[in-house]
């Protein structure tokens, strides 16, 4: 799955998608990585959703973790393009490119909190 996550986020700077993944290794919670994580973190500020922000050494990018209810809320606010048991691809209702400087600063701040 690591390769799929990296591939999806490398082509996501244009701001069109949010990729959400459910991991059985983490008890079934949902995660977003990279640019998708940044977009979910922006929603946290606007919509007061509950997420946990961190940095994933495994995929070398930022990650946000959320429960089923938060995942459902995010999915309800965007168009669902694809869904499997462990993956959801959403298209943004108002796509806009990610501000790469702001994203880098945010991701760096998360990475610097890891021991």
């Amino acid at each position: 799955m690591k390769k799929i996550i990296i591939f999806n986020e490398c082509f996501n700077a244009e701001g069109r998608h949010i990729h959400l993944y459910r991991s059985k290794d983490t008890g079934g919670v949902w995660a977003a990585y990279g640019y998708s994580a940044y977009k979910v973190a922006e929603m946290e500020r606007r919509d007061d959703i509950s997420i946990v922000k961190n940095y994933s050494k495994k995929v070398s990018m930022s990650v946000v973790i959320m429960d089923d209810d938060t995942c459902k809320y995010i999915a309800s606010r965007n168009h669902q393009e694809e869904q499997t048991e462990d993956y959801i691809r959403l298209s943004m209702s108002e796509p806009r490119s990610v501000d790469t400087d702001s994203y880098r600063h945010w991701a760096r701040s998360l990475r610097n909190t890891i021991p």
Side-chain angles (χ1 to χ4, degrees):
M1 176 164 349
K2 177 181 171 181
K3 290 179 183 179
I4 292 169
I5 292 169
I6 293 169
F7 178 82
N8 284 341
E9 295 310 320
C10 284
F11 294 102
N12 200 18
E14 81 285 350
R16 294 192 182 278
H17 296 100
I18 295 176
H19 300 275
L20 303 171
Y21 307 88
R22 183 177 11 216
S23 174
K24 292 180 175 100
D25 298 338
T26 57
V29 296
W30 289 88
Y33 297 87
Y35 292 127
S36 293
Y38 185 67
K39 292 171 193 170
V40 171
E42 287 179 331
M43 286 181 197
E44 177 195 32
R45 289 186 291 266
R46 272 193 329 261
D47 300 342
D48 194 33
I49 59 175
S50 180
I51 61 171
V52 175
K53 298 173 279 229
N54 209 327
Y55 189 84
S56 171
K57 289 182 180 180
K58 186 176 181 179
V59 294
S60 300
M61 63 180 74
S62 54
V63 60
V64 297
I65 307 297
M66 68 205 84
D67 63 15
D68 279 328
D69 290 337
T70 301
C71 182
K72 288 175 187 173
Y73 175 79
I74 292 168
S76 74
R77 307 278 294 168
N78 298 280
H79 175 71
Q80 197 166 312
E81 289 187 349
E82 180 181 347
Q83 181 173 1
T84 66
E85 184 180 343
D86 298 321
Y87 172 73
I88 300 172
R89 184 179 68 221
L90 304 169
S91 61
M92 300 291 294
S93 55
E94 298 175 21
R96 64 179 192 265
S97 295
V98 173
D99 177 350
T100 54
D101 289 336
S102 295
Y103 168 74
R104 266 189 244 126
H105 175 73
W106 178 75
R108 192 173 295 127
S109 71
L110 293 174
R111 186 177 62 223
N112 290 339
T113 61
I114 297 177

